[in-house]
Amino acid sequence: MPASDLRSWIDLLRRENELVEVEAEVDPHLEITEIVDRTVKSCGPALLFRHVKGSEHPLLINQFGTERRMCLAFGEPSLDAVGRKLEDVLEMQPPQGLVEKVKGLGKLKRLADSMPKTVRSGACQELVLEPDLDALPIQHCWPGDPAPFVTLPAVITRDPRTGTRNVGMYRMQKIDAKTTFMHWQIHKDGAADWRGMGDRLEVAVVLGCDPVTTYSASAPLPKHIDEFMLAGFLRGEAVELVKCKTIDLEVPADSEIVLEGYIEKGELGEEGPFGDHTGYYSPAEPFPIFHLTQMTMRRDAIYPSIVVGVPPAEDAWLGKATERIFLPAIRMTVPEIVDYDLPVAGAFHNCVIVSINKGFPGHAKKVMHAIWGLGMLSLSKSVVVVEEFVDVHDYEQVFFHVCANVDPGRDVMLSEGPLDQLDHSAAMYCYGGKLGIDATHKWTSEGAREWPERIEMSAEVRDLVDRRWAEYAIEPEGAQNGGISKVLRQTLRR
């Protein structure tokens, strides 16, 4: 089972030798960022800073910074295994027989058990305090940032029109001890709730959930799907919620810190700039102001944080988790897709590499348009399409097919459409050009000459080498007995 709260997650990281606890005092003004950036880029451990200058609260960071820790968070051997859990539900069909009906009931029960449950009390309200952001070790991440930023929150709102809950991850620039900005980008669900609000919109900010619930706040879910339900499904255990003290919202009962408050209609301020995951500072823009009414927390609460910047950063593995988990959902909409990859260097929205089962002329261009109309993938700036035998995660292999198979006059498509609000290269605000590259083998019906045969060894010879060379004994070091070296044996294994 995945960890049920942040503290059991820290215990798991400690047992798995994935955590270093730092006792020396460290400064949240830039110093933590430099330490963490070096740690992340060397695939180092999660860090628990026990003594942060100016605060009594420890700070946890880099908890998601490697593939192994991301898999530990979900309690699965791979991120693809997490995706298969979701695929099992997405592919539910009307049962045809008794066995299928029983299996279907089991799946439905798992879904029902995933629904969040409201409880009377929770550890997150052990201490009920007046708002005081000065007490928290909020990081000032980069030199060009104007203030400290809360970077790993789960921000909870309700759609004023439908009552649907939304949980999102939006940065929050600290203004003073009782107010922050709320960075609701134009394409995000939190911004939609804000645009539809009346005079006041209640907001709860949760800091320090179990790792699956924290991830779910970052997941690009359709607006009608509850992020806490997704967290419960992926955890195998419902998320327990407790009602806030001063607003009509519920928060995870075992979280570390909760900020309760509201946003007033029409109240804006200049937020930013901020050293962002694009590797550049996103510019200052008007965003709403969040007013705190209450702060609750566990005793000895632990503050979670994350640093973004020039890739790779810790958020790379949150993005990779989304890539693998939502592949089944993408296939439901575009079934010819075999696999896809969102390169870390592409900062999530700059590039999509996709492999397809090509079935007709222009199929690659059809898939490009499908991706540009698909949820948050619609913000993708460039799409590269290859065939099913190409490993989309092997960038050298992809680049070979782009170089070998593309006639720029025929296979490069320029389009335009919405782009991520953080894309500084766009000629217009949130809108600009898009690039599609068809790196598939071309048919004569697509304007190609006769296409040459791809070089590939016969299956018989591959099997022969597999069998024959597996039979040779490993040669002892320095001996000459007709065996083979361990290095060669490993090289020949496929």
Side-chain angles (χ1 to χ4, degrees):
M1 290 283 290
S4 59
D5 62 13
L6 187 68
R7 298 184 185 201
S8 59
W9 170 231
I10 289 173
D11 288 341
L12 175 59
L13 292 175
R14 189 181 288 116
R15 290 196 303 273
E16 294 290 332
N17 294 318
E18 289 284 349
L19 178 73
V20 169
E21 300 180 59
V22 181
E23 295 294 339
E25 185 180 74
V26 65
D27 196 332
H29 183 88
L30 304 182
E31 185 181 14
I32 289 179
T33 297
E34 180 62 17
I35 294 169
V36 171
D37 195 49
R38 296 186 191 189
T39 302
V40 171
K41 286 176 169 53
S42 61
C43 300
L47 300 173
L48 182 62
F49 292 105
R50 289 287 185 184
H51 298 99
V52 183
K53 184 178 179 180
S55 177
E56 296 180 355
H57 298 282
L59 183 149
L60 176 68
I61 198 164
N62 200 28
Q63 58 179 303
F64 301 115
T66 65
E67 183 175 13
R68 182 170 189 263
R69 287 203 291 281
M70 205 74 233
C71 293
L72 284 172
F74 289 106
E76 295 288 347
S78 69
L79 295 177
D80 284 311
V82 184
R84 285 192 288 272
K85 291 171 71 171
L86 193 62
E87 183 176 27
D88 193 38
V89 174
L90 291 173
E91 292 184 347
M92 284 184 68
Q93 300 292 331
Q96 301 298 316
L98 179 60
V99 174
E100 286 74 19
K101 288 179 180 177
V102 172
K103 289 181 179 177
L105 287 172
K107 292 177 184 178
L108 288 172
K109 184 178 186 303
R110 280 165 51 201
L111 282 176
D113 290 344
S114 303
M115 297 299 293
K117 300 175 181 177
T118 301
V119 296
R120 289 188 175 183
S121 62
C124 68
Q125 295 176 343
E126 287 176 343
L127 301 177
V128 180
L129 308 167
E130 287 296 311
D132 183 13
L133 295 175
D134 292 339
L136 303 179
I138 303 173
Q139 278 186 263
H140 191 127
C141 297
W142 297 104
D145 295 352
F149 281 80
V150 177
T151 53
L152 198 65
V155 179
I156 304 169
T157 54
R158 288 195 184 277
D159 187 321
R161 294 150 294 195
T162 66
T164 302
R165 176 169 44 223
N166 177 67
V167 187
M169 190 173 287
Y170 315 109
R171 75 184 191 225
M172 300 163 58
Q173 178 184 326
K174 179 183 171 185
I175 299 173
D176 56 35
K178 295 186 178 182
T179 55
T180 75
F181 291 110
M182 188 64 71
H183 190 263
W184 277 330
Q185 294 175 45
I186 191 171
H187 302 108
K188 305 295 186 179
D189 289 339
D193 291 348
W194 170 49
R195 289 192 295 269
M197 68 180 282
D199 293 332
R200 177 176 286 197
L201 180 68
E202 294 183 327
V203 181
V205 176
V206 182
L207 301 167
C209 299
D210 67 89
V212 177
T213 301
T214 297
Y215 161 75
S216 297
S218 75
L221 291 176
K223 192 165 173 56
H224 63 281
I225 296 180
D226 190 329
E227 287 80 4
F228 289 147
M229 184 188 75
L230 174 68
F233 178 77
L234 295 177
R235 293 187 343 160
E237 179 182 39
V239 177
E240 292 188 342
L241 305 176
V242 64
K243 287 187 177 296
C244 289
K245 296 291 186 179
T246 61
I247 56 175
D248 187 23
L249 291 171
E250 298 82 32
V251 295
D254 289 329
S255 51
E256 295 290 319
I257 302 165
V258 177
L259 310 177
E260 303 179 11
Y262 63 90
I263 284 171
E264 292 279 5
K265 187 176 182 64
E267 186 181 20
L268 300 173
E270 196 79 351
E271 188 261 10
F274 175 70
D276 226 317
H277 70 267
T278 60
Y280 292 84
Y281 287 95
S282 52
E285 294 184 68
F287 280 97
I289 295 173
F290 171 60
H291 297 268
L292 276 69
T293 54
Q294 190 83 76
M295 185 163 74
T296 69
M297 62 177 64
R298 297 178 69 149
R299 291 186 178 86
D300 303 316
I302 299 167
Y303 176 84
S305 189
I306 191 171
V307 169
V308 298
V310 178
E314 182 182 351
D315 60 337
W317 284 106
L318 290 170
K320 281 295 172 183
T322 291
E323 174 195 292
R324 305 325 301 162
I325 292 171
F326 285 90
L327 176 59
I330 290 171
R331 282 176 175 159
M332 290 289 290
T333 305
V334 192
E336 59 265 56
I337 288 179
V338 176
D339 201 356
Y340 78 124
D341 184 278
L342 304 174
V344 170
F348 310 137
H349 49 73
N350 285 337
C351 183
V352 180
I353 303 169
V354 58
S355 59
I356 65 169
N357 284 309
K358 185 171 178 176
F360 49 81
H363 201 161
K365 291 183 172 64
K366 181 261 190 186
V367 170
M368 293 173 196
H369 287 295
I371 289 173
W372 286 327
L374 193 62
M376 295 308 290
L377 284 176
S378 65
L379 304 179
S380 302
K381 186 157 57 175
S382 59
V383 178
V384 179
V385 183
V386 294
E387 283 165 286
E388 76 283 349
F389 53 79
V390 179
D391 181 358
V392 295
H393 311 296
D394 184 338
Y395 302 145
E396 187 169 314
Q397 192 180 146
V398 171
F399 189 62
F400 163 74
H401 285 87
V402 169
C403 293
N405 292 347
V406 172
D407 176 347
R410 177 194 62 209
D411 303 326
V412 173
M413 181 173 67
L414 293 177
S415 184
E416 59 183 37
L419 294 177
D420 191 276
Q421 189 169 344
L422 301 178
D423 191 332
H424 59 274
S425 69
M428 298 172 62
Y429 183 71
C430 299
Y431 187 89
K434 291 177 179 284
L435 172 69
I437 300 176
D438 178 359
T440 64
H441 289 188
K442 303 307 180 302
W443 302 351
T444 55
S445 54
E446 295 178 295
R449 296 178 294 156
E450 184 177 350
W451 205 261
E453 183 179 355
R454 185 166 63 102
I455 297 173
E456 189 175 14
M457 182 53 70
S458 67
E460 293 79 11
V461 173
R462 290 201 307 269
D463 291 342
L464 172 66
V465 171
D466 286 344
R467 293 194 310 273
R468 179 183 176 190
W469 290 84
E471 293 171 359
Y472 280 91
I474 297 294
E475 183 176 274
E477 190 172 342
Q480 298 291 330
N481 63 359
I484 62 173
S485 71
K486 185 179 294 185
V487 171
L488 181 57
R489 168 70 60 80
Q490 292 173 342
T491 301
L492 293 172
R493 284 178 175 170
R494 289 187 299 158

